[in-house]
Amino acid sequence: MRVGGPARQLITARTAEEVVDAVREADAAGTPLLVLGGGSNVVVADEGFPGTVVRIADRGVTVESADACGGVHVRVAAGEVWDDVVARAVAEGWSGIEALSGIPGSVGATPVQNVGAYGQEVAQTVAKVRTWDREEGRIRTLFAADCGFSYRHSVLKESMQVSGQFTPRYVVLEVTFALRPTGLSRPIGYADLARGLDVAVGERVPLADARAAVLEQRRRRGMVLEEGDHDTWSCGSFFTNPVLSAPEFEVLTRRAAERLGPDGPVPPQFPSAEGSVKTSAAWLIDKAGFAKGHGLPGPAALSTKHTLAITNRGQAGARDVLALAREVRVGVQEAFGVTLVNEPVLVGLAL
């Protein structure tokens, strides 16, 4: 987003051992700690970070096994660029992460918030995550069942208290993915993507076709960074899609009818965990009166391509981004009684 102040100390860790040493040293000294991957899903306060930032920059992709029966198991260092790994998987004919093409950031961040898009989540392919457990002071491997994956969440995202600072307990060092050597995508589960591919939902297509279609969808929404396009100066979707109980969704539906008319549009609903309903944050923002480009010509504005993206128009600070986020959140709350939750990590900031 190109906002935020400096770190008091920055350590670039190029091996897993350097990551562990830097984290242990900061924790032993009681120093505030921020573990940073690609930084694409972070908004830092204009005042900066008053502690140690450990930037994970280790590299390495190891194919542990690859056969038609057992599938492909690939162990990837946390500092690898995520989209480079997706591109290799597509080129090698490994299915399972092709719909996650174009997502910025590093591999280590993907299981933390269970990165997902276009009908796929990394939870579907993560086999295990090698971590540094800051609470127990040891290397610990978490298998997929240990990770507690849910919509944009995992136990890796949960926090611990260290010298008054609430920061993640686990620092991701490596992720092992279980992929399938099919050459064809997983069944296309997203309607817009299926239309772009001219196939029915549920069909499979060559991996390269799936990747190209996903990247096209992301570009149309301003979700692929282009230096001269301020619509892409964002951290992607600023709010997660609300997951509501059945009674809460009934209230939303009633308030939507009151606001938009009994014959007006109804809130979208998608399958979610048992007894809950997921709806669209973008729909709520738009129907609450915040159109694409809202905030222009201010320093921060909603993208002209996607209402879920809060963008830096070139001169914004973190305070401008948060002011717009609050305006949108309050507007949606007043219109529909739903409180939106930020998707990026806010460092030194709070909505």
Side-chain angles (χ1 to χ4, degrees):
M1 291 208 71
R2 306 177 191 219
V3 301
R8 189 174 73 186
Q9 179 185 28
L10 172 66
I11 298 173
T12 298
R14 302 191 184 280
T15 66
E17 291 74 19
E18 289 181 2
V19 173
V20 171
D21 288 346
V23 171
R24 290 180 69 175
E25 183 177 338
D27 284 344
T31 303
L33 176 68
L34 172 63
V35 178
L36 189 68
S40 59
N41 201 43
V42 175
V43 183
V44 179
D46 295 316
E47 296 75 20
F49 185 72
T52 298
V53 175
V54 176
R55 186 171 72 90
I56 298 181
D58 57 335
R59 295 289 187 268
V61 179
T62 303
V63 180
E64 295 189 327
S65 62
D67 60 72
C69 294
V72 180
H73 283 74
V74 186
R75 178 164 45 87
V76 187
E80 283 284 345
V81 175
W82 170 251
D83 195 52
D84 290 351
V85 174
V86 178
R88 177 172 176 182
V90 169
E92 296 277 3
W94 303 335
S95 173
I97 55 176
E98 59 282 348
L100 307 181
S101 293
I103 293 177
S106 61
V107 166
T110 60
V112 174
Q113 72 161 25
N114 187 17
V115 165
Y118 301 106
Q120 285 184 358
E121 294 178 332
V122 290
Q124 296 166 335
T125 56
V126 169
K128 57 185 177 181
V129 183
R130 186 169 178 259
T131 72
W132 172 252
D133 184 339
R134 295 167 64 200
E135 188 170 279
E136 296 187 3
R138 66 183 179 94
I139 299 289
R140 182 174 175 186
T141 296
L142 302 179
F143 291 91
D146 304 320
C147 291
F149 288 124
S150 59
Y151 173 63
R152 299 298 177 271
H153 192 74
S154 71
V155 298
L156 300 164
K157 195 174 181 178
E158 296 173 3
S159 299
M160 64 180 289
Q161 186 172 9
V162 182
S163 302
Q165 300 291 319
F166 287 88
T167 56
R169 169 178 174 176
Y170 301 102
V171 178
V172 177
L173 304 175
E174 290 178 337
V175 184
T176 299
F177 297 94
L179 307 174
R180 299 183 64 185
T182 66
L184 292 176
S185 69
R186 288 199 171 197
I188 302 298
Y190 192 82
D192 278 356
L193 187 59
R195 280 192 290 270
L197 287 161
D198 195 25
V199 299
V201 171
E203 287 191 35
R204 303 170 71 193
V205 300
L207 290 174
D209 292 351
R211 175 172 168 80
V214 167
L215 290 173
E216 174 59 25
Q217 291 281 333
R218 292 185 66 83
R219 288 190 183 96
R220 284 174 45 207
R221 292 168 170 79
M223 297 295 181
V224 176
L225 181 63
E226 296 180 14
E227 291 298 312
D229 184 357
H230 289 291
D231 275 337
T232 73
W233 289 28
S234 77
C235 46
S237 299
F238 200 92
F239 299 104
T240 57
N241 288 324
V243 178
L244 309 175
S245 67
E248 288 171 336
F249 188 76
E250 289 179 8
V251 171
L252 167 59
T253 302
R254 184 177 69 250
R255 293 187 65 160
E258 293 169 354
R259 181 180 180 87
L260 305 173
D263 298 322
V266 297
Q269 53 181 310
F270 311 103
S272 189
E274 184 177 350
S276 63
V277 180
K278 182 164 66 176
T279 192
S280 167
W283 188 93
L284 293 171
I285 292 168
D286 180 68
K287 301 310 178 190
F290 301 100
K292 296 173 184 176
H294 176 84
L296 289 172
L302 298 186
S303 166
T304 66
K305 300 179 179 72
H306 198 311
T307 55
L308 262 182
I310 294 177
T311 65
N312 178 356
R313 309 315 292 186
Q315 301 296 324
R319 59 178 56 89
D320 300 309
V321 172
L322 264 290
L324 179 56
R326 290 190 193 101
E327 179 189 359
V328 170
R329 191 178 70 160
V330 168
V332 169
Q333 171 68 41
E334 291 177 347
F336 299 113
V338 176
T339 301
L340 296 178
V341 176
N342 53 285
E343 183 166 326
V345 176
L346 306 181
V347 180
L349 301 164
L351 277 176

